[in-house]
Amino acid sequence: MFFKKGTQLFGYEVVKEGREDVMYINCFGYALVPSISDDASMMARVIDNLIENPRVSRIVLSQQKNYVYSHAETQMLIEIANIYTYLLREERILSLEGLDAEKVGMLNYLVLTLLRSDPIGCYVTVRRLIREEKILHRQTEYVRRLEKIYSLLNKTTMIKQVATKLEGLEVGNRSIYTEIFRPEVLPNFTFTRLMTELPIDAEIIEEYSLGEKDEKSEVTILKKKNKVKYYYHIMPPEFKLDEDSLLLLDMAKQVLLEHRPRAEEFLDPERMRHVFFNIARDLLTELAQTKRIKLSYKELMNLAKILVRHTVGFGLVEILLQDARLQDIVINAPIGLTQIFVRHADYDECITNIIPSQEDSESWAAKFRMISGRPLDESHPVLDTELALKNIRARVSIIQKPLSPYGLAYAFRRFRERPWTLPLFIKRRMMNPLTAGLFSFLIDGGRTMLIAGTRSSGKTSLLGSLLFELMPKYRVIVIEDTLELPVEALRKLGYDIQRMKVRAALLKETTEVAADEGIRTSLRLGDSVLIIGEVRSLEAKALYEAMRVGALANTVAGTIHGASPYAIFDRVVNDLGVPITSFKATDIIAVANPIKSPDGMHSWRRLVQLSEVRKNWTSDPLTEKGFVDLLKYNAEKDELEPTDELRNGESEILKSIAGNVKEWAGNWDAIWDNILLRSKIKEALVKVSGKNPLLLEAPFVVKSNNAFHNISDSVLRELGNLDSKRIFSEWQDWLKREIRRQRI
């Protein structure tokens, strides 16, 4: 906060921030760290200001750091200010009528001094004085006035909060205030507030660190008594800086704000951040020399990173995105009044100690508009885009008025730094080896499939993992409106892959190509595997048109919202207008859904169903047995199990795949044997990955798949059949050689 020129020490300004009036009190030049709980004179000054402005929502004591007192804490102080005003003006508590000089002196001390600087001490003192007077059987005007003070204080939130802790309290001991007033602390260069202290009466569950060695953030997971949500407390490096560093950052930010990046610079955010990092580093060096502040090279680099994060970046959201164990980050409207919520891989929904500001949220919205090239205004109140920060990627959904009546709100879906693979899903128990083997078989068989599920069920991650089951010899076209699938990882592994970004379903007017036109265009780009990020709208018709006319001879796959095969049928046919005969072009529907614990406190991602779509039905696949489960979730075993139709070789889709392969045609045992072989290979990778987790990551999984296909081809040419035992044995020898080679 920058005060008007000439603002005196302890002078204040009331600033309108969204729907709140915030009182900023100037503490620059004060010898002590400003604190309402520790400093009686500071409490008295704050209450004096509130007597003049009793309608403020928050109080901020501004020094090199801002100490922000919440609405609830401010209201407790306003109650005291109102009592002070009432006693003097309405009750005329200090009038001389019927009192001697000693009693007047005591009332003056209680009201004019103690009530403003130590209201709890005032309450305890008044209670003691009343008790002493009543022991002497005195019922005087003095006692009446004491009882009035006592009655008013006894009704306050502050006294009620500490009522059970007042026995034996010494007046002047301010330790009790530290339990009531716990300000959020933020450096002056950022608007986002952070509750730095750990909550009282909370059990520490886990502690861990994020980030690089010289700029670590500490995370503490806590569980409050009688609370369902866990508490996610993070302490970023910018909140641990010394006063000199904070001064430099504050000055540097004011300079950089005058040189904001142009819209066209956001077309390449990574380069733009690099340029501003160099500017920030040079600016901080110059300011440090001017202020005669010594900075080491590491300190300078860390300050430059922080400055970039809080100017052209996304502030503490970037710190949260560093946590690989976070899956979702949610910022609800009205921003500035509620804390950020996160979804943690191990602790589910958590509340954080971060409260973003309206200023920051508006700045982020402007940046996302420029990065995406998409509108965000009252005519277009929804923006779906993506955020990329080095190896960190996230999908971003933003809503604003009129859809969100209280203004901007954000949802960030963080992607894993490295793409998911089927062996990783086996390790996380989302699926078992048999399911992975069946997926591998279906992908090689060039089937059409939809990955269905509810939000946060892992649909997109599963679809991304299936891409690494494709043989690199195939051309792949990926169509998305928000870039989520691991296209760059596939490109680095040598895949012939083309990404197409199409218009979001909710947008009508934009320069981007519509999704259905994107699909039709893909058909003119050659024989390709076609991957649709999400089937939502008109593209469904174009997709099924393409499948029906046989334009796509390879794998076609996409994600869609739905909790069961029939729900998918209902959505595609009744909501999206795809003809029933076209829907039959779907071969496989896989359903992923979260599984909850009996107490409702925990959830896990699981694949719960894998069904084939048969072709010999006319109007209702449910009553005409158009859906046949191949795998079904067993809750007791917590895994998918093969159905009788799969065990007995009654799958029409698998038979269709086998019908095109000489060695498998009419031989169910050979098909099943190959599925089990693929399952054993996936399972073996998981078993040997304990000492080397990289064996489950995409580069090695693709290498393993390539080895499997090459070995299978070699064995087939040598023996004339796909001998599973021979293939698996040679693959194991290959794996051992690879592991030895990596250890050298």
Side-chain angles (χ1 to χ4, degrees), residues 499-742:
R499 167 177 263 160
M500 298 171 66
K501 187 171 187 245
V502 295
R503 182 190 307 161
L506 291 174
L507 290 179
K508 302 299 180 186
E509 300 172 3
T510 175
T511 57
E512 295 171 313
V513 174
D516 56 335
E517 184 58 34
I519 291 174
R520 294 189 178 97
T521 301
S522 72
L523 304 181
R524 299 192 287 272
L525 297 179
D527 183 30
S528 310
V529 171
L530 181 60
I531 305 298
I532 311 296
E534 184 170 347
V535 179
R536 307 180 198 235
S537 187
L538 295 176
E539 71 273 13
K541 285 186 178 181
L543 176 63
Y544 278 98
E545 286 170 15
M547 290 192 292
R548 280 204 73 200
V549 299
L552 300 165
N554 297 309
T555 300
V556 180
T559 68
I560 189 167
H561 279 86
S564 69
Y566 189 80
I568 301 308
F569 165 78
D570 189 42
R571 175 125 193 263
V572 169
V573 173
N574 296 323
D575 295 345
L576 303 181
V578 172
I580 289 177
T581 51
S582 296
F583 177 79
K584 293 180 185 179
T586 310
D587 291 326
I588 296 293
I589 296 175
V591 181
N593 276 326
I595 300 298
K596 292 188 178 294
S597 60
D599 57 13
M601 294 282 288
H602 308 282
S603 64
W604 303 272
R605 290 176 175 176
R606 295 290 186 266
L607 197 66
V608 296
Q609 192 174 5
L610 194 146
S611 305
E612 70 176 22
V613 182
R614 294 193 170 173
K615 317 306 177 187
N616 57 344
W617 51 277
T618 56
S619 59
D620 190 339
L622 201 60
T623 59
E624 299 175 63
K625 297 183 179 179
F627 298 129
V628 174
D629 290 337
L630 302 182
L631 297 170
K632 193 72 176 175
Y633 181 73
N634 184 323
E636 291 183 6
K637 296 182 179 179
D638 188 27
E639 68 173 351
L640 284 166
E641 289 185 331
T643 61
D644 290 340
E645 284 80 2
L646 180 58
R647 289 195 196 92
N648 298 334
E650 297 174 7
S651 166
E652 293 182 1
I653 299 301
L654 295 180
K655 288 178 181 178
S656 175
I657 295 173
N660 297 320
V661 181
K662 178 182 175 182
E663 290 74 22
W664 293 337
N667 187 349
W668 170 252
D669 289 339
I671 300 171
W672 185 243
D673 190 51
N674 193 264
I675 292 172
L676 293 180
L677 169 62
R678 294 166 187 261
S679 304
K680 285 173 64 178
I681 287 173
K682 304 296 184 191
E683 186 175 24
L685 273 182
V686 176
K687 285 181 178 178
V688 299
S689 67
K691 294 182 180 179
N692 189 355
L694 291 178
L695 297 180
L696 304 183
E697 300 296 345
F700 195 84
V701 169
V702 171
K703 187 182 288 189
S704 170
N705 290 341
N706 291 342
F708 163 70
H709 287 112
N710 287 327
I711 292 169
S712 296
D713 181 58
S714 175
V715 169
L716 179 62
R717 282 188 281 107
E718 180 183 341
L719 302 181
N721 64 79
L722 294 172
D723 186 322
S724 295
K725 290 183 180 178
R726 172 78 175 273
I727 294 170
F728 187 65
S729 176
E730 290 192 19
W731 179 85
Q732 282 184 308
D733 292 339
W734 169 86
L735 179 61
K736 290 174 184 175
R737 290 194 302 272
E738 284 295 314
I739 292 175
R740 281 198 301 270
R741 189 177 65 81
Q742 290 189 10

Side-chain angles (χ1 to χ4, degrees), residues 476-487:
V476 183
I477 294 179
V478 176
I479 300 177
E480 303 173 274
D481 61 2
T482 301
L483 307 184
E484 301 180 68
L485 292 169
V487 170

